[in-house]
Amino acid sequence: MTIKVYTVTREGVVTAPRAIVTVSRSYPPQPEQTTTALPPCACPLYRQTEAAR
């Protein structure tokens, strides 16, 4: 499988490929850890609330 990464501007103009990655069929994928945890909120409202505590 070959994956090509492109950059697209706001106007929809596509550039040449930035990177090309080739993955063979025999490459064993690493299992992802299953979790329901969410990353900590980084929104400004939450940060202000945490600072007030």
Side-chain angles (χ1 to χ4, degrees), residues 1 22-32:
M1 173 174 63
T22 303
V23 180
S24 68
R25 287 185 186 198
S26 62
Y27 178 76
Q30 297 295 322
E32 292 292 325

Side-chain angles (χ1 to χ4, degrees), residues 7-37:
T7 300
V8 180
T9 66
R10 293 179 186 186
E11 295 78 27
V13 178
V14 179
T15 64
R18 292 186 339 185
I20 298 175
V21 178
T22 303
V23 180
S24 68
R25 287 185 186 198
S26 62
Y27 178 76
Q30 297 295 322
E32 292 292 325
Q33 187 178 34
T34 304
T35 179
T36 58

